[in-house]
Amino acid sequence: MPPLLLLASVLALTAGGCRSFEFQEATLDAIQLGFQNGSLTSTALVRFYLGQISSLNPVVNAVIEVNPDALKQAAKADAERRRASASGGDGRQMGRLHGVPVLLKDSIATRDRLNTTAGSLALLGSVVRRDAGVVARLRAEGAVVLGKANMDEWANFRGAVDTGGWSARGGQGKNPYVLSSPPCGSSTGPAIAAAANMAAVTLGTETDGSLLCPASLNSAVAIKPTVGLTSRSGVIPISPRQDTVGPICRTVADAVHVLDAIVGYDELDAAATRAASKYIPDGGYVQFLKTDGLKGKRIGVVNGLFDVDDGTARQMVYRQHLNTMRKHGAVVIENLEIENLAVIQNATVSGELAALVAEFKLSLNAYLSDLSYSPVRSLAELIAFNNAHPDEVNSEFSVCINHLIYFLSFLIVRSAHELPHEQLQEMLKQFGQLIFLVSENTTGIGTVEMAAIQQLDDLTANGVEKVMKEHRLDAIAAPDSSAATVFAIDGLPGIAVPAGYDEQGAPFGISFGGLKGYEPRLIEIAYAFEQASKVRKPPMFKQYNKFRLQRLDSIFNSVSPCSG
């Protein structure tokens, strides 16, 4: 048996007497039921996911590092559950995330032995002062921090060339359904990990498409909250106007449970979280998980967003989905127009890029200056670091050595941040850092930037807001993340749900977006659609090109652990 599969088998067999529990595709409801009836422990669950990571990560590069204290946190949760049981409780009062392992995008800070680097070698070894606001809420719920997930380095905001799910620390993220298909980003690792059963719960971030796109292309569910609904404190930033933190899970229900846990006011992100707190409903969001949630909903279909090639599987499936929505009581209004849609979707023309580059410099410099320790303290120093580490060194020997050390780190349960990184560089020749250079040349929010922000506000008011109000829409539906920018530029919410698979088996999704605070109706729509369509299936890890189509198990049986 190959070493990776052997290690996964050993970890699974040492799961602590929980062999009757079905780990694959386990939902939060199933996990909590397992905790309550004794068929599962947090320790067993963490061991299972560590096994999944050790066997799958060399193929899909979803995880940058694992938490050396994850098993200790799991044991603590198990002990708390035993004490509650001894005192007459059944553990239900502990909350839906108690004892549940969570993977965090590498831009979300944790005050522990994990790094927070946005995938960059420049921040390796930096020390944050405190947990990110959303992490503090997860810990308060008893969640176990499993590790840090890969991402587009600097959230794909470094150069003009799309990094496509790559980071210097995590390598190239791979789509777990068809390894050669794009995984999208920048929350690449969270989406891959959720889809591939490397965690039940993951957190990502979005500025423009970074939750909705990877969820769509990896057959996962993502909730992109209204900006300010979740705190951004302790999250490596791009823009305070557009940044938001949200869950990526395998089901709408799981994502909603996580959303309930992470929303709320944070004094370290006071202005945004105070303004958005009015949108949080009494009783939370779980109450909107209704199988009849499509009934009476008005859903818009906008010209220019549903441009799918005629005769393809995607086009036929999307048409079926619109009919399914109608069948379940929705009013689907097609052929709508958003004014200046082409302008909105061109970041240079709309003013989005002009605003973002100025906001990025201010926000990143503030983040770096607040760190207890950091090798770089400003965007200028970060640019200099990249110039000093420009090229990738990726010989077969160095990759093999890195993988072997990576496997050993799991065997001895050490933190992955202890691994050597000198063989990896910043691939400056391939991806560049043009956005960094443009951002460094800005001087704050001046007249040009204010005009750009005003233009973005006007485009939203005369575009998506006008259409939704005129047609009394509850949501706009769109393929994958094609409407992401429409909702991003004014901090509007969206939910992505699996929609189907193309001729090669690569996933595609459907997203529902609305106005600020529309999360309740979006959840009703997304959940009812998910229950009506039942699209999602586990990944097959196909290696597809014009010569071959293979399953991962055949790949494992035909190559050495140093491949991939």
Side-chain angles (χ1 to χ4, degrees), residues 19-39:
R19 298 176 190 172
S20 62
F21 183 82
E22 181 54 57
F23 288 94
Q24 293 287 347
E25 298 289 291
T27 65
L28 288 178
D29 283 344
I31 289 168
Q32 290 302 328
L33 180 61
F35 289 160
Q36 292 164 25
N37 65 27
S39 66

Side-chain angles (χ1 to χ4, degrees), residues 6-19 23 47-48:
L6 176 61
L7 177 57
S9 299
V10 170
L11 288 170
L13 289 173
T14 58
C18 298
R19 298 176 190 172
F23 288 94
R47 284 177 174 159
F48 170 76

Side-chain angles (χ1 to χ4, degrees), residues 127-194:
V127 180
V128 301
R129 295 184 185 277
R130 62 191 73 84
D131 282 336
V134 290
V135 175
R137 288 184 174 274
L138 289 173
R139 292 199 201 272
E141 290 287 317
V144 174
V145 176
L146 185 62
K148 293 294 177 73
N150 198 9
M151 60 181 286
D152 279 271
E153 186 171 318
W154 297 107
N156 201 22
F157 204 71
R158 191 186 85 176
V161 179
D162 189 344
T163 47
W166 173 89
S167 74
R169 290 199 62 216
Q172 176 60 59
K174 302 286 186 66
N175 189 307
Y177 288 84
V178 178
L179 297 174
S180 57
S181 291
C184 202
S186 64
S187 300
T188 311
I192 295 170

Side-chain angles (χ1 to χ4, degrees), residues 202-287:
T202 73
L203 278 194
T205 70
E206 175 161 331
T207 305
D208 187 340
S210 293
L211 285 163
L212 300 180
C213 185
S216 295
L217 298 195
N218 292 281
S219 203
V221 172
I223 299 179
K224 181 220 172 192
T226 300
V227 167
L229 205 61
T230 54
S231 171
R232 290 83 49 84
S233 73
V235 177
I236 296 175
I238 292 180
S239 163
R241 287 183 309 103
Q242 294 184 203
D243 291 350
T244 188
V245 181
I248 302 181
C249 301
R250 288 184 290 276
T251 69
V252 175
D254 284 358
V256 170
H257 285 302
V258 179
L259 182 66
D260 266 333
I262 61 175
V263 298
Y265 175 76
D266 181 356
E267 64 181 1
L268 296 177
D269 189 12
T273 55
R274 182 184 295 113
S277 62
K278 64 185 177 185
Y279 298 127
I280 302 174
D282 292 338
Y285 292 100
V286 174
Q287 62 186 301

Side-chain angles (χ1 to χ4, degrees), residues 499-553:
Y501 305 87
D502 68 15
E503 291 83 352
Q504 284 74 48
F508 53 89
I510 189 168
S511 57
F512 303 97
L515 302 183
K516 290 180 180 178
Y518 271 32
E519 279 82 0
R521 60 186 82 184
L522 296 180
I523 289 168
E524 288 182 341
I525 291 169
Y527 181 72
F529 170 79
E530 175 195 53
Q531 297 304 301
S533 58
K534 296 287 187 181
V535 167
R536 180 184 153 75
K537 57 187 178 183
M540 300 292 284
F541 301 92
K542 294 176 180 178
Q543 181 76 343
Y544 178 83
N545 57 40
K546 63 181 178 180
F547 300 111
R548 62 179 181 169
L549 182 60
Q550 286 185 290
R551 285 280 304 278
L552 178 63
D553 49 11

Side-chain angles (χ1 to χ4, degrees), residues 64-65 106 109-129 148 154 169 236 367-368 370-377 385 415-421 426:
I64 287 181
E65 58 183 280
D106 189 41
T110 53
R111 186 70 165 93
D112 53 19
R113 290 198 279 171
L114 291 167
N115 286 284
T116 305
T117 69
S120 171
L121 298 174
L123 287 184
L124 191 61
S126 62
V127 180
V128 301
R129 295 184 185 277
K148 293 294 177 73
W154 297 107
R169 290 199 62 216
I236 296 175
Y367 173 88
L368 294 174
D370 188 54
L371 294 174
S372 295
Y373 166 77
S374 178
V376 294
R377 287 290 185 179
F385 177 94
S415 170
H417 69 236
E418 297 176 10
L419 301 183
H421 296 272
E426 289 293 345

Side-chain angles (χ1 to χ4, degrees), residues 354-355 358-359 362 443-450 453:
E359 292 167 335
L362 293 172
T443 57
I445 306 298
T447 54
V448 171
E449 291 77 18
M450 290 298 294
I453 293 170

